[in-house]
Amino acid sequence: MAENRISASLAPADKEAVMQAIALRGYTYRLMERYPEALQDFDRAIELNPKYNWAIALRGYTYRLMERYPEALEDFDRAIELNPKSDWAIAGRGISYLILKQYDKALVDFNRAIDLKSDSNRDVYLYDRALAYLALNEQVKAQTDLALAIKLAKQNYEKDTKDWRNAFNLAIYYLAAQYTQPAKRFYSYVLSQGASFEFIREAIQVLNDFLTIFPNHVQATPIRQLLQSSLNSDKSLDNLYQRLKFPCNTPNPQNHYSFAKSLKAALLGCGRV
């Protein structure tokens, strides 16, 4: 590949810039649900550095979205081996176990992720663990975790009412706790405020996971349909990719730095990295 040919002649710091740019482009492809292309970029980044745990974990997430669970687990295992304190990789493996109904393994990972995360930012992992408890019909434990997740997310919401990821998280926590009306209000509120489609698609994926675990949940399906109907097209993200094409036809490291910096800034703007 052109990127790999270029990187072979670069200094280590410049090679790092190329590797990050490729991985970030893969991340963009994943947002666009162009999974084969995302995998190609993650493969390229990992080829440049077989210990690039961030790209390995991202590839694991992509495999999970493609329902290729053995490959997802293999990547998560490797990423966690390289960085045992990567809470999001640990939780990602836990979600894979949860979908596969390997509840004991899922709980081990969620407990570990919760222990690694600071108190104010562990609401997502409390929600994940609550789903495992619900699947095991351990209602008291599930409601305890959901109550704390809701409390933490509400505190974060009071600090920033336009943190759309947090607002969507709060909505799904209410939904899982069977507080249907507050859940609907938060989903409707975020949509009415013009949240970017990246956040909406992420919320849809969370609902997809929820419905994979609880396929007969009555309220989750129409809420997912509501979110899906709010998406017009992938045009804005396509335009993002067109603006930030990888500069593979030039060996100038500054182009790779600029690409990585621009793409990361764009993704940070929507809370993606």
Side-chain angles (χ1 to χ4, degrees):
M1 294 295 176
E3 298 96 324
N4 298 62
R5 291 196 299 272
I6 292 169
S7 67
S9 61
L10 295 177
D14 297 331
K15 185 176 180 179
E16 181 75 20
V18 175
M19 182 176 64
Q20 184 181 40
I22 296 170
L24 284 169
R25 184 177 65 181
Y27 198 94
T28 307
Y29 276 133
R30 200 191 78 178
L31 293 181
M32 298 163 69
E33 298 182 0
R34 291 165 63 171
Y35 299 136
E37 292 153 298
L39 290 177
Q40 287 179 358
D41 274 344
F42 295 141
D43 287 344
R44 292 168 187 167
I46 295 165
E47 182 180 347
L48 290 173
N49 180 1
K51 294 185 178 181
Y52 192 10
N53 67 291
W54 186 67
I56 294 169
L58 284 176
R59 189 174 66 181
Y61 270 96
T62 306
Y63 280 135
R64 182 174 72 77
L65 294 174
M66 298 172 74
E67 300 182 4
R68 292 167 61 174
Y69 299 115
E71 292 154 298
L73 290 172
E74 182 178 350
D75 272 349
F76 284 130
D77 286 345
R78 178 58 176 156
I80 295 164
E81 179 185 352
L82 291 168
N83 182 5
K85 293 186 178 181
S86 178
D87 54 271
W88 65 280
I90 294 167
R93 184 176 66 181
I95 290 292
S96 299
Y97 282 137
L98 181 57
I99 291 172
L100 293 170
K101 300 183 179 181
Q102 298 182 33
Y103 301 125
D104 290 342
K105 290 182 178 180
L107 285 171
V108 169
D109 276 344
F110 296 147
N111 289 336
R112 186 175 168 187
I114 289 168
D115 289 342
L116 287 168
K117 200 69 171 176
S118 64
D119 287 346
S120 61
N121 295 310
R122 57 182 179 151
D123 52 289
V124 173
Y125 303 151
L126 288 165
Y127 161 77
D128 291 338
R129 188 171 68 180
L131 295 188
Y133 285 140
L134 287 172
L136 290 166
N137 201 30
E138 296 188 24
Q139 296 292 331
V140 174
K141 291 181 179 180
Q143 293 302 324
T144 299
D145 275 353
L146 287 170
L148 181 53
I150 290 170
K151 178 182 177 181
L152 293 172
K154 286 176 69 175
Q155 290 173 350
N156 292 330
Y157 179 75
E158 290 168 1
K159 296 175 184 176
D160 184 359
T161 59
K162 294 189 180 298
D163 181 343
W164 305 132
R165 174 178 286 111
N166 180 70
F168 271 136
N169 285 347
L170 186 52
I172 192 67
Y173 302 162
Y174 276 129
L175 188 65
Q178 301 184 49
Y179 298 135
T180 305
Q181 292 308 312
K184 289 181 177 179
R185 282 200 300 271
F186 268 97
Y187 280 117
S188 297
Y189 166 74
V190 178
L191 293 178
S192 71
Q193 295 300 305
S196 66
F197 76 92
E198 291 90 348
F199 287 114
I200 298 172
R201 290 176 67 175
E202 183 178 286
I204 290 171
Q205 183 57 55
V206 171
L207 282 164
N208 287 342
D209 290 340
F210 184 84
L211 282 164
T212 298
I213 302 163
F214 307 108
N216 298 319
H217 196 280
V218 175
Q219 290 81 19
T221 298
I223 289 175
R224 182 175 61 180
Q225 292 171 343
L226 172 67
L227 296 183
Q228 289 171 332
S229 68
S230 71
L231 295 176
N232 294 322
S233 71
D234 287 346
K235 183 178 180 180
S236 59
L237 196 52
D238 282 326
N239 289 339
L240 168 66
Y241 173 67
Q242 291 299 322
R243 276 201 314 275
L244 300 174
K245 280 186 177 179
F246 188 86
C248 61
N249 58 354
T250 171
N252 184 354
Q254 187 58 44
N255 289 335
H256 306 133
Y257 284 123
S258 298
F259 173 86
K261 184 177 179 181
S262 299
L263 182 52
K264 193 165 187 177
L267 295 173
L268 280 170
C270 64
R272 301 299 304 188
V273 177

